[in-house]
Amino acid sequence: MYDIIIIGGGAGGLTVASGAASLGAKTALIEKRESLGGDCLHYGCVPSKALIEAANEIHAARNNSYAGVEASGEVDLGKIMERVNRSVETVQESDSKERFETMGVDVYKGSPEFLGDRRLEVGGTILEAKKIVIATGSSVNKPPIEGLETADYWTNETVFQQTELPRSLTFIGAGPVGLEIAQAFARLGCDVTVLEGGSTILKKEDPSIRDKAMEILSREITFITEARVEKVSDGGKKVYYTKNGKEQSLETDKLFLAAGRKPNTEGMNLTETGVFLDDKGFVHVDDTMRTGNPHVFAIGDVTGHMPFTHVAGEHGKLVVQNALYSLKRKMSYETMPWNTYTTPEIFHLGKTREEVEEAYVYETRLNEVDRFVAEHATEGFVKIITDRKGKIIGAHAIGRGAGDWMQPVIAVMNRGGHIKELSDMVYPYPNHPAALEAVSGQYWRLKLFSGIAPVLSRRYLKWFL
């Protein structure tokens, strides 16, 4: 009998396994793949960022002729992917099976099936535990498009094994993952088209951020919005879609499927355990990450809550406490940030302007910040949203490295802080976070240099100075 069994060796599952084993719990981890690490390591965060960096380096070399740098010739995609996979292999060392076994975790390979609310069968072995955690993640969603089943398309699970760079590449879907990879291939030299069923890209972003991102990315990518893909033919080289009620088509060398994710819940026999799924197949959990079965928890993408690696990690930390010590600590997403790693990066924290009825908005353009001016990276801006008392309720930015220099806002907002706290910080000149100094300075200008304050100041200076 184990104290805890974790199903899935991705970011969330590994967090629970290492935490539980470190606290002395008898722990088992089940993973169906040969290697631990999950989608983030093998098909997502790590390889995509390595690809983006390589693409940005090539793009910069091709476009820095003003500095006397000239770069031409075809890109060797095979060599780029070798570099990408070396990055994966390096990170894999810290997520190895041997490392977790050294911690005291028993690692089983296979796809488990529930035999009861606390019993599992994997590879012919019966396992029992006091608590079980489902951390099986998600996989590529394949929409019901005619001809797709026989088409030769790429996904985030297959792209990093490719060695031939196509002349043209068409993406179905304009979510963050698709956009990151689309821009990378555009910078490698592909003619990239993105088909999006909605009226815009990045639907969850603040409208002004969304509009700016569309403006910038459209210089490298062709976007066709409100396009409903009906079918593909010729092995995926011809795509038929409907726009404004008219059927249109385009030809492409390669098709890339980026139409969302689906939860990995099939084949586990969850209906026999009291674990409930929603209409899309995601595991239903409460704020403590418990399922309908009090002995079973679920974390990460499989729950449908904010499908990001850092969120799965936070889920894992919470579940270690709740599962092992029967606590009821709750998960909150109000101050959970995310970042889209296009160029420029897009940072999101808290509410957008359209989600708040009454709000105060403070905004600074990056061309007003000396460090960005010095680096010729002035395209973008930062926006802070507060309530009438100045408490930060949202923060958004688009700009080079935004995911890094917006980090102080997360700390302030996590403790329910005021925008003036950003102004109180000291920013070594000239750094990138000075954008926060500039935007928070607007709060003081509004307070001190408008209304009654300057009137009283003039009177004081007149009579007492």
Side-chain angles (χ1 to χ4, degrees):
M1 169 73 76
Y2 285 99
D3 293 317
I4 191 167
I5 295 175
I6 303 100
I7 307 172
L14 296 183
T15 298
V16 178
S18 60
S22 298
L23 291 169
K26 188 177 181 182
T27 306
L29 175 65
I30 303 172
E31 171 54 50
K32 65 180 180 181
R33 295 194 181 105
E34 291 294 333
S35 302
L36 302 179
D39 271 18
C40 176
L41 174 57
H42 299 288
Y43 312 124
C45 314
V46 175
S48 67
K49 304 312 167 284
L51 175 63
I52 288 168
E53 180 63 21
N56 286 346
E57 290 174 5
I58 291 171
H59 177 77
R62 284 174 171 166
N63 292 278
N64 280 351
S65 58
Y66 74 90
V69 178
E70 296 287 349
S72 60
E74 294 185 0
V75 169
D76 188 331
L77 187 62
K79 288 186 177 179
I80 290 174
M81 292 307 179
E82 286 177 7
R83 167 178 161 170
V84 167
N85 287 299
R86 282 197 299 271
S87 298
V88 173
E89 290 168 4
T90 299
V91 178
Q92 178 70 69
E93 293 176 8
S94 62
D95 288 346
S96 68
K97 174 184 175 183
E98 292 74 20
R99 176 170 176 263
F100 279 82
E101 288 176 335
T102 300
M103 292 182 189
V105 178
D106 292 337
V107 181
Y108 296 85
K109 181 182 179 301
S111 299
E113 181 179 350
F114 277 87
L115 303 178
D117 65 348
R118 289 190 279 184
R119 296 179 72 236
L120 295 165
E121 186 274 328
V122 55
T125 301
I126 306 298
L127 304 177
E128 294 185 74
K130 298 171 185 176
K131 299 291 170 61
I132 296 175
V133 180
I134 301 170
T136 48
S138 63
S139 54
V140 177
N141 178 49
K142 299 176 183 177
I145 297 172
E146 182 183 341
L148 191 62
E149 289 300 320
T150 57
D152 180 22
Y153 56 83
W154 290 354
T155 69
N156 71 300
E157 295 179 1
T158 62
V159 67
F160 302 111
Q161 285 74 52
Q162 305 305 320
T163 58
E164 297 294 328
L165 187 70
R167 289 168 300 184
S168 59
L169 185 59
T170 297
F171 285 71
I172 298 178
V177 173
L179 289 181
E180 289 176 3
I181 297 177
Q183 187 185 37
F185 273 92
R187 294 190 158 204
L188 292 176
C190 285
D191 181 6
V192 175
T193 299
V194 172
L195 297 168
E196 167 57 37
S199 59
T200 186
I201 62 174
L202 301 169
K203 302 177 184 68
K204 294 184 179 181
E205 299 301 335
D206 186 89
S208 59
I209 296 282
R210 193 167 58 216
D211 292 345
K212 189 63 177 179
M214 186 71 159
E215 174 196 333
I216 295 172
L217 293 174
S218 292
R219 299 169 194 163
E220 302 178 66
I221 300 168
T222 298
F223 289 99
I224 304 176
T225 56
E226 298 183 313
R228 178 183 174 85
V229 179
E230 304 289 352
K231 66 177 180 179
V232 298
S233 65
D234 193 18
K237 294 182 180 296
K238 192 161 187 179
V239 183
Y240 299 84
Y241 62 94
T242 302
K243 181 176 173 66
N244 298 326
K246 296 180 180 180
E247 186 178 276
Q248 302 181 50
S249 65
L250 61 83
E251 295 185 353
T252 185
D253 284 344
K254 187 61 65 174
L255 189 66
F256 196 109
L257 194 59
R261 310 284 293 177
K262 66 176 183 179
N264 295 329
T265 52
E266 295 181 357
M268 288 192 289
N269 196 29
L270 292 176
T271 55
E272 299 299 318
T273 68
V275 175
F276 303 110
L277 308 180
D278 67 14
D279 56 357
K280 294 183 179 180
F282 292 99
V283 177
H284 181 268
V285 294
D286 63 15
D287 292 341
T288 68
M289 310 312 295
R290 287 176 171 84
T291 69
N293 181 334
H295 306 297
V296 179
F297 296 75
I299 62 174
D301 288 13
V302 77
T303 68
H305 291 296
M306 297 182 74
F308 303 108
T309 298
H310 57 283
V311 175
E314 290 302 308
H315 284 173
K317 294 174 187 176
L318 185 74
V319 162
V320 168
Q321 302 169 64
N322 289 348
L324 295 184
Y325 303 110
S326 298
L327 301 177
K328 294 186 178 181
R329 294 183 174 172
K330 296 181 178 181
M331 185 70 195
S332 173
Y333 302 95
E334 291 184 4
T335 58
M336 185 64 68
W338 70 73
N339 207 60
T340 302
Y341 293 91
T342 50
T343 301
E345 292 182 7
I346 300 164
F347 174 88
H348 182 119
L349 175 65
K351 296 184 181 299
T352 64
R353 179 63 188 88
E354 63 185 351
E355 293 173 332
V356 184
E357 288 187 12
E358 181 183 2
Y360 291 78
V361 180
Y362 305 90
E363 186 174 312
T364 290
R365 300 281 161 175
L366 298 188
N367 61 12
E368 301 170 13
V369 181
D370 291 358
R371 180 61 181 271
F372 290 101
V373 173
E375 295 176 347
H376 296 273
T378 57
E379 196 157 45
F381 59 91
V382 55
K383 174 187 287 189
I384 304 291
I385 302 169
T386 75
D387 63 14
R388 62 184 181 84
K389 294 182 178 180
K391 179 182 176 181
I392 299 175
I393 56 178
H396 308 272
I398 180 169
R400 178 191 286 182
D404 294 324
W405 51 262
M406 287 293 288
Q407 199 71 19
V409 190
I410 302 173
V412 173
M413 191 170 166
N414 265 328
R415 59 175 179 263
H418 193 284
I419 190 172
K420 65 183 180 182
E421 293 184 43
L422 294 174
S423 182
D424 291 342
M425 295 180 184
V426 177
Y427 299 84
Y429 182 84
N431 67 5
H432 298 106
L436 300 178
E437 181 181 32
V439 73
S440 58
Q442 292 184 19
Y443 169 81
W444 290 115
R445 285 195 292 276
L446 182 65
K447 285 285 186 182
L448 299 178
F449 306 130
S450 63
I452 192 64
V455 175
L456 294 175
S457 177
R458 283 194 294 270
R459 289 179 180 176
Y460 176 88
L461 294 174
K462 178 180 179 180
W463 291 104
F464 298 103
L465 188 62

